[in-house]
Amino acid sequence: MTDQAESMNFASVRQTLLRYVARWDKRLRLTQTTLWLPRGIMLGILIGIGVAVAARVRPWLLPTQVLAVAGLAVLLGALFAVVGVWLYPRTPLAAARFFDRAFGLQERTSTALELAENAIRAPQMFSTLQTQDALAQAAMVQARQHLSFQWRRRELFAMLGLAVLLGALILLGNPQAEIIAQQTALQSAIEQQLERVEEIKREVQANPALSEAEKEALTQILQDLQEQLSQPNITQPEAVAQLSQAAQQMNQARQQLTPQERAAMQAAGQALSQSQPTQGAGQAMQNANPGDAANQLQNLAQRVENNQLTQEQIEGMIQALQQAAQALQQTNPAAAQALQQAAQALQQGNMQQAAQALQQAAQALQNQQNQLAQSPLTQAAQQAAQQLAQGGNQVAQAGQQGQQGQQGQQGQQGQQGQQGQQGQQGQQGQQGQQGQQGQQGQQGQQGQQGQQGGQQGAQGGQQGAQGAQQGQQGAQGAGEGQGAQQGAQGGGQVPGQQAGAQGAEGAGQGSGGAGNDTVEGTAGSGQPIEANNGRSDGTLAENDFIYAPTFIGGEGGQEINPRSGQPGSESDPMQLGEFSENPTGESRVPIREVVGRAAAEADQAMETDRVPGALRGFIRQYFTDIQR
């Protein structure tokens, strides 16, 4: 019984010592928490700094995302520090040895635990005295005096410094942020386009007016587009190109002319191309574009009605119209009949009736174009092409909101680069424009006198009319001035713009004389023209003029120079015409007609999908502004 009681006493002593050790260990872990918590926070801040630096080196995360990552890292660092302190494994015997050293107990607690667990064999009396002494010393220990909270100033200052550095990296402008935003916006735009393509597919499949073959053809284009847009790491230019290509394929899938109609158009176009006045309509027919051919015939009808054609041109037109009528007899009888009537009216010299017949032919071709445009396949393909083109524009503009201000300024400067010269010419060449409108009697400036003298000297028949058209096209496309229209008629050496405002410095003075179809012009100062005008900032500079001769047969041919020989000699390239109805050599080609032709050519190019979809709006706006 005595041994059992003593054994129970040792077990009670062991439990008491373990309670002391557990209490001390809790205090120890609490003080270590205050020591390791700042360290865990610093670890999280360092991770955030690393992420912020990486986000500045390459496009990775936005500042808000960096802040979120840094905050999460700090939170996890603090959590790991606390959890690590409180869950760090420590056996009671190891803790007792630590506290013996920390509290100066001289291994009393650890020895008493070993005696209580029979890890050390000692006499009974020695064990009893040892455990009693250990209990007495443990009860006297004040753990708070030995285990105080630890706050290391250097670590706290380091933590604050790292936090300030992290804040600076997040708040200061990140050069990669714009790229990241563009990538995010691009990805969002591509996802929207994928949803739109899927919607278009459903609409095509649900269209009852389309045959199964037509549905399959349109669906295949959309399916290929989806596969391309779903490619990983697709770039913005690639996405825009895929959408534009799909839109072009949709336009090509529209209802086309039948093989018989196309062959008839080719034959009629070849016939019309043999005559200079009908070349535009002939080219349009060879391109299987009835709508453009109708526009060309409308313009030709106006020229016929205004008596702007020479007798030689009319004779060439008669044969061309007859051959074209024969080619279209089976596929478009209305157009064929109208062309035949126009040829007969020209033979009879009835220009009014010929113009009406040409207009009827144009209407017949336009009706043919309308029939193609109204087919279910054309409407479905055109609607899909428009939606895909809009999608391409949206993808092209994705992520560039921050640059829209600069692009808007550049766009305005670009329009000024296209139209600003004409705006200056509207001030500098007002006399030149008035000369085109019939107000050639005003001779307030030397430049206008030079123009009038050039007009009187340019009585050159067909070449004079062609020179006028070239001058007008130069006024529109190259910004050579409206005065250049009359300079191209044979106005000697009249610079297009300075003739109206600066008295034609260097060239353009004079009272006429023999006409010269060569458009020549020199700078007012006579100095060589600098290729770089130093206006790279987009502002406007004064227009400089260069020598631009006209050659027979295009570039590199024989230069047209009426003064190379005497009138009537074999070396004279001029061809005299009939000027009984236009004795003063006045230009009768309105500028609106020239602009209309250029706009029609641009429309044709856009209809045949040779112009990117993102540029079509700018082109149409450009010609609309000119025609105002």
Side-chain angles (χ1 to χ4, degrees), residues 63-74:
T64 54
Q65 296 173 329
V66 173
L67 178 60
V69 172
L72 180 62
V74 170

Side-chain angles (χ1 to χ4, degrees), residues 573-594:
M574 295 291 291
Q575 182 176 4
L576 297 179
E578 183 63 37
F579 290 92
S580 59
E581 298 181 1
N582 189 13
T584 61
E586 177 184 353
S587 173
R588 293 187 175 181
V589 182
I591 186 64
R592 291 185 178 273
E593 180 179 338
V594 177

Side-chain angles (χ1 to χ4, degrees), residues 248-588:
Q248 293 178 358
Q249 293 175 352
M250 282 294 178
N251 286 325
Q252 294 173 359
R254 294 183 298 181
Q255 188 70 40
Q256 305 293 332
L257 295 174
T258 64
Q260 183 180 4
E261 292 174 338
R262 186 179 294 273
M265 280 282 182
Q266 289 284 342
Q270 292 176 0
L272 294 177
S273 297
Q274 297 175 2
S275 175
Q276 186 273 334
T278 59
Q279 282 182 355
Q283 183 64 37
M285 287 187 178
Q286 289 181 355
N287 294 334
N289 192 334
D292 187 32
N295 293 334
Q296 297 292 340
L297 289 179
Q298 287 282 1
N299 295 333
L300 180 59
Q302 293 179 4
R303 295 180 61 190
V304 171
E305 186 175 6
N306 294 332
N307 295 324
Q308 295 178 351
L309 302 178
T310 64
Q311 186 62 34
E312 183 181 357
Q313 290 176 331
I314 293 175
E315 292 176 357
M317 280 180 55
I318 294 173
Q319 184 178 3
L321 293 175
Q322 290 175 347
Q323 293 178 0
Q326 293 177 0
L328 296 176
Q329 190 65 42
Q330 299 297 328
T331 58
N332 195 334
Q337 182 179 1
L339 292 175
Q340 185 64 38
Q341 292 175 356
Q344 294 175 358
L346 290 175
Q347 285 179 340
Q348 298 171 1
N350 192 338
M351 299 300 170
Q352 203 71 13
Q353 185 177 355
Q356 293 178 359
L358 288 174
Q359 291 178 354
Q360 293 175 0
Q363 185 61 43
L365 291 173
Q366 187 62 47
N367 292 338
Q368 185 178 11
Q369 180 68 38
N370 293 338
Q371 290 177 359
L372 295 175
Q374 292 174 0
S375 66
L377 176 59
T378 297
Q379 292 180 355
Q382 186 174 1
Q383 182 179 2
Q386 291 176 353
Q387 294 180 359
L388 294 177
Q390 292 176 358
N393 293 335
Q394 293 177 0
V395 173
Q397 296 173 1
Q400 298 181 359
Q401 290 82 359
Q403 301 176 353
Q404 286 181 354
Q406 297 178 353
Q407 292 176 351
Q409 294 177 357
Q410 294 175 357
Q412 292 177 357
Q413 294 172 358
Q415 290 180 355
Q416 291 177 354
Q418 296 173 348
Q419 303 174 2
Q421 291 183 348
Q422 294 182 354
Q424 289 183 346
Q425 293 157 8
Q427 298 176 356
Q428 295 177 353
Q430 288 181 353
Q431 284 93 3
Q433 188 174 10
Q434 291 171 357
Q436 180 190 4
Q437 298 172 353
Q439 300 177 2
Q440 297 178 355
Q442 298 179 359
Q443 300 180 355
Q445 296 183 357
Q446 295 177 354
Q448 189 173 4
Q449 295 174 358
Q451 290 178 350
Q452 292 176 349
Q455 292 171 356
Q456 295 173 358
Q459 300 178 356
Q462 176 182 0
Q463 294 180 354
Q466 293 176 354
Q469 294 175 4
Q470 293 173 358
Q472 289 170 341
Q473 292 175 355
Q476 178 220 344
E480 295 275 328
Q482 285 122 347
Q485 298 169 357
Q486 300 168 353
Q489 290 179 351
Q493 297 175 344
V494 181
Q497 298 169 348
Q498 292 180 341
Q502 299 177 358
E505 296 179 2
Q509 296 183 1
S511 58
N516 184 357
D517 192 49
T518 303
V519 182
E520 298 180 4
T522 58
S525 60
Q527 298 297 326
I529 297 175
E530 179 64 30
N532 183 7
N533 64 358
R535 298 286 177 170
S536 59
D537 57 351
T539 59
L540 297 176
E542 292 187 1
N543 297 315
D544 294 330
F545 303 95
I546 63 173
Y547 172 71
T550 301
F551 297 98
I552 297 178
E555 297 183 359
Q558 178 185 356
E559 180 180 348
I560 301 176
N561 186 3
R563 298 177 181 176
S564 61
Q566 298 298 326
S569 64
E570 295 181 356
S571 61
D572 186 4
M574 295 291 291
Q575 182 176 4
L576 297 179
E578 183 63 37
F579 290 92
S580 59
E581 298 181 1
N582 189 13
T584 61
E586 177 184 353
S587 173
R588 293 187 175 181

Side-chain angles (χ1 to χ4, degrees), residues 130-253:
Q130 175 64 27
T131 53
Q132 289 177 353
D133 181 61
L135 289 174
Q137 293 295 326
M140 298 172 58
V141 170
Q142 299 292 329
R144 294 183 178 182
Q145 295 180 359
H146 300 278
L147 300 176
S148 59
F149 293 105
Q150 303 181 42
W151 301 98
R152 297 186 179 180
R153 293 184 177 181
R154 292 183 179 179
E155 294 182 358
L156 293 179
F157 289 151
M159 181 182 68
L160 292 177
L162 293 175
V164 172
L165 177 60
L166 176 60
L169 291 175
I170 294 175
L171 295 178
L172 294 178
N174 186 355
Q176 305 293 338
E178 184 176 354
I179 301 176
I180 300 170
Q182 291 178 356
Q183 292 177 349
T184 304
L186 174 61
Q187 187 62 34
S188 177
I190 292 177
E191 292 177 356
Q192 292 179 0
Q193 297 312 313
L194 287 172
E195 295 177 358
R196 176 176 292 184
V197 171
E198 185 64 29
E199 183 179 353
I200 297 174
K201 285 176 57 178
R202 290 194 297 266
E203 293 177 356
V204 170
Q205 293 295 332
N207 192 340
L210 298 177
S211 64
E212 292 300 326
E214 293 172 343
K215 292 180 181 179
E216 183 178 357
L218 298 181
T219 303
Q220 185 62 42
I221 296 175
L222 298 173
Q223 183 65 34
D224 294 341
L225 177 60
Q226 284 182 320
E227 293 178 359
Q228 295 297 330
L229 293 180
S230 300
Q231 294 293 331
N233 300 325
I234 184 172
T235 63
Q236 187 174 27
E238 292 173 348
V240 174
Q242 292 298 332
L243 287 166
S244 299
Q245 181 179 0
Q248 293 178 358
Q249 293 175 352
M250 282 294 178
N251 286 325
Q252 294 173 359

